[in-house]
Amino acid sequence: GGARGRRAAGLAALCPVCDAEVALPPGGVGQLTPDYLALSRGGAAAAGCDLCADGAAVRRCLTCGADLCLFCCQAHRRQKKTASHAVTELENTKDCSQAEKPLFCPSHPTERLRLFCEQCDQPVCRDCIVDRHRQHPYDFTGNVIHRHGDTLRELLKSTQQRMSTLEGVLSQMDDMGSALRGRTEAVATEICLFVSGYVKAIEEHRDRLLKQLEDLKVQKENLLHLRKAQLQQLLLDMRTGVEFTERLLTSGSDLEILITKGVVASRLAKLNSVAYNTHPSVDDGIQFSPQERAGQCHGYELYGAILNKVVDPARCTLHGEDLHSARQNQLTGFTLLCSDTTGERMGRGGEAVQVTITHKDKRDCAVKPKVCDNSDGTYHVSYSPEEPGLYVVCVYVKGQHVKGSPFTLMVKNKFREHQGVFHCCTFCSSGGQKAARCACGGTMPGGYQGCGHGHKGHPGCPHWSCCGQVKESSECLGGPPSDTSQRSLLRTVAL
């Protein structure tokens, strides 16, 4: 009933005490080694007399190994054959065990186990030596007990040391468990304090935001009421002037009209000259940005800010060194500066900026610009045109053109590098060779074909031999020269 597993060699059983797996011998459960110590203790607890089987055993004959009741013990001492046997109290027997009580062979019940088979590592009787353990090395149990006992004691000592180590580890684990619980409680307290402070800071931040929102609403409402009152007064003045003028024109005589027309005309002209905005000067541009950094409160970093600025595309401007020209295959760009309805710089990013760059003659040719949000109200637009020509650039903010959009962009051909030398004259740069030429067109006497200092056609300053440009950091403007001049120029360059 205790078998739970199966090994390759056969069945196995689990010990009910230590739960160790034990392989069953070929003979089955009956061939398992009996626990004589347990049998001895179990028998000693409720053992009866070995002679009469009526009384309870109180003493043991150390010579016979029999447990005796008090009556049989007295009879044991009165008999001549057993009078000399040593008898002791049962509870004083060593470990209350059957150490001195004879154990009989399971295979030969009448034979005592006195021998030990070294090859099979088990106690045997004399009949076993003759039968199943023939030619096996053996010896008396008293002769081998010390060697095997010492081995067992070494294993016991090692096991005890490991037990001590395990007890120490378990003690450390208990201590660690206590420390873990204590540390967890401490961290839980820290978390609660942190979250409590954080919640308090967030609530204060919320109250400030709501107060700021309320103040902003009152400010806009007051400004709206003021502008409304001004426009209502202007409308009232206009209505009064119109009614007076209409009544004058319909009811007044010619002389009355002529006498009064100067004052009336002056009044109406003055009313017509009053400037006013056709759109409400106050807007509802109030936004809340959860991602906006809002500083710290009680040491906690907070986010969320009220934004009351609204971008005005008509007030957004374009800036750059040269907005209207670019170079083929060269990265260039410009900057968009966004402002609100009052002309003040926005100071933050996030606007919907769209840029298109389209060739004016080739509709299918367009440049894909890259818009970079600098998060400060400016946006950098970079592009690299692949084909030269005239382009139209459109810049939109919230779907509307910004100030200066659209505008034209001229893309020039790829930059031409100088093929000559930047020199003072061909005489110096060529080492005095007469055949050296220069694109500046200058000549000098004595049969020299190139330019010289102070002579005819010399630019009067250092210049490029390939095109005559006097600016060193410039683009070559010279056209493709003839073969002869090309050879001369190359010669000049080499020299």
Side-chain angles (χ1 to χ4, degrees):
R4 298 182 186 174
R6 181 179 297 272
R7 291 186 176 181
L11 294 174
L14 294 180
C15 176
V17 178
C18 63
D19 204 34
E21 187 175 307
V22 180
L24 290 177
V29 179
Q31 295 294 325
L32 290 173
T33 303
D35 187 355
Y36 292 106
L37 187 59
L39 293 174
S40 171
R41 288 177 177 172
C49 180
D50 290 339
L51 297 182
C52 65
D54 292 333
V58 294
R59 294 182 183 179
R60 173 173 296 174
C61 176
L62 298 179
T63 305
C64 300
D67 293 338
L68 307 173
C69 65
L70 184 58
F71 178 79
C72 292
C73 181
Q74 294 174 354
H76 201 65
R77 287 181 176 178
R78 286 196 297 267
Q79 294 180 7
K80 290 182 179 181
K81 292 182 179 181
T82 59
S84 61
H85 289 188
V87 179
T88 182
E89 296 292 334
L90 190 60
E91 58 271 15
N92 294 333
T93 307
K94 182 182 179 181
D95 295 333
C96 297
S97 68
Q98 294 179 337
E100 300 300 330
K101 186 175 182 178
L103 300 178
F104 294 93
C105 178
S107 302
H108 309 93
T110 61
E111 292 295 330
R112 295 178 59 181
L113 297 173
R114 298 177 181 272
L115 305 174
F116 185 80
C117 179
E118 296 287 356
Q119 181 173 331
C120 299
D121 195 32
Q122 67 178 28
V124 294
C125 67
R126 291 180 302 176
D127 292 347
C128 292
I129 292 298
V130 177
D131 186 13
R132 291 184 297 106
H133 299 270
R134 181 180 298 176
Q135 296 182 350
H136 289 188
Y138 67 93
D139 200 349
F140 287 99
T141 56
N143 296 335
V144 300
I145 185 60
H146 299 291
R147 177 163 48 87
H148 290 279
D150 291 342
T151 302
L152 194 59
R153 275 186 285 272
E154 288 296 327
L155 288 174
L156 176 62
K157 183 178 179 181
S158 176
T159 306
Q160 289 173 339
Q161 291 177 351
R162 294 176 65 85
M163 286 176 58
S164 177
T165 304
L166 286 175
E167 289 174 351
V169 172
L170 290 174
S171 177
Q172 291 179 1
M173 293 180 70
D174 291 338
D175 295 341
M176 181 56 68
S178 300
L180 179 61
R181 288 188 293 272
R183 184 57 186 161
T184 303
E185 293 175 359
V187 173
T189 303
E190 293 179 7
I191 292 174
C192 291
L193 291 175
F194 172 80
V195 173
S196 176
Y198 211 163
V199 170
K200 182 178 179 181
I202 292 175
E203 289 178 346
E204 291 186 11
H205 182 50
R206 175 200 61 195
D207 295 340
R208 284 201 301 266
L209 288 174
L210 294 177
K211 179 66 167 56
Q212 181 181 353
L213 180 62
E214 182 65 22
D215 293 343
L216 185 60
K217 184 195 74 169
V218 172
Q219 176 185 352
K220 285 180 174 290
E221 285 180 344
N222 291 340
L223 182 59
L224 187 63
H225 292 160
L226 176 62
R227 298 294 171 82
K228 184 179 179 180
Q230 292 174 346
L231 293 179
Q232 286 176 341
Q233 183 62 45
L234 178 61
L235 179 61
L236 180 61
D237 294 342
M238 287 182 175
R239 183 176 288 114
T240 302
V242 167
E243 291 176 353
F244 181 81
T245 305
E246 289 178 344
R247 188 169 61 252
L248 175 65
L249 292 175
T250 56
S251 304
S253 63
D254 295 343
L255 185 59
E256 292 174 341
I257 293 175
L258 292 175
I259 294 174
T260 317
K261 85 170 183 64
V263 177
V264 174
S266 176
R267 176 61 176 167
L268 292 179
K270 185 176 180 180
L271 290 175
N272 290 336
S273 65
V274 176
Y276 60 91
N277 195 348
T278 57
H279 300 283
S281 56
V282 180
D283 53 59
D284 60 346
I286 302 176
Q287 300 177 2
F288 176 70
S289 175
Q291 296 82 15
E292 199 82 14
R293 298 175 68 94
Q296 291 188 348
C297 180
H298 301 301
Y300 296 94
E301 192 73 25
L302 298 175
Y303 291 85
I306 294 177
L307 308 177
N308 62 337
K309 290 185 178 182
V310 177
V311 65
D312 186 358
R315 295 182 178 271
C316 298
T317 54
L318 301 172
H319 302 272
E321 292 185 0
D322 196 353
L323 287 172
H324 303 281
S325 65
R327 184 75 64 174
Q328 181 184 8
N329 293 330
Q330 182 175 343
L331 184 65
T332 184
F334 56 88
T335 300
L336 169 66
L337 175 60
C338 291
S339 302
D340 62 4
T341 53
T342 63
E344 186 180 355
R345 181 172 171 175
M346 291 296 295
R348 59 177 175 83
E351 303 296 342
V353 178
Q354 183 182 4
V355 181
T356 61
I357 304 177
T358 310
H359 202 286
K360 199 169 184 179
D361 299 327
K362 303 177 182 179
R363 293 298 179 184
D364 57 341
C365 178
V367 179
K368 293 183 178 180
K370 181 180 179 181
V371 181
C372 179
D373 188 348
N374 298 323
S375 301
D376 59 355
T378 63
Y379 300 81
H380 183 69
V381 181
S382 57
Y383 58 93
S384 178
E386 296 182 356
E387 292 191 21
L390 191 64
Y391 288 79
V392 177
V393 182
C394 298
V395 183
Y396 306 93
V397 173
K398 291 185 176 180
Q400 302 179 30
H401 282 284
V402 301
K403 186 177 181 180
S405 174
F407 63 90
T408 57
L409 170 68
M410 174 58 70
V411 177
K412 301 178 182 179
N413 289 316
K414 189 163 46 178
F415 186 85
R416 297 179 59 182
E417 296 183 356
H418 293 280
Q419 301 297 320
V421 293
F422 192 69
H423 64 174
C424 58
C425 69
T426 55
F427 182 85
C428 295
S429 62
S430 65
Q433 295 189 19
K434 291 186 176 182
R437 297 175 181 272
C438 181
C440 71
T443 60
M444 55 187 297
Y448 289 94
Q449 299 180 17
C451 61
H453 298 278
H455 296 285
K456 181 180 178 181
H458 190 274
C461 59
H463 55 280
W464 287 100
S465 64
C466 51
C467 63
Q469 280 270 71
V470 297
K471 188 176 180 181
E472 184 174 6
S473 57
S474 61
E475 180 182 5
C476 185
L477 301 179
S482 64
D483 294 341
T484 304
S485 61
Q486 178 68 18
R487 285 196 298 271
S488 299
L489 289 175
L490 291 177
R491 185 179 184 184
T492 305
V493 170
L495 293 173

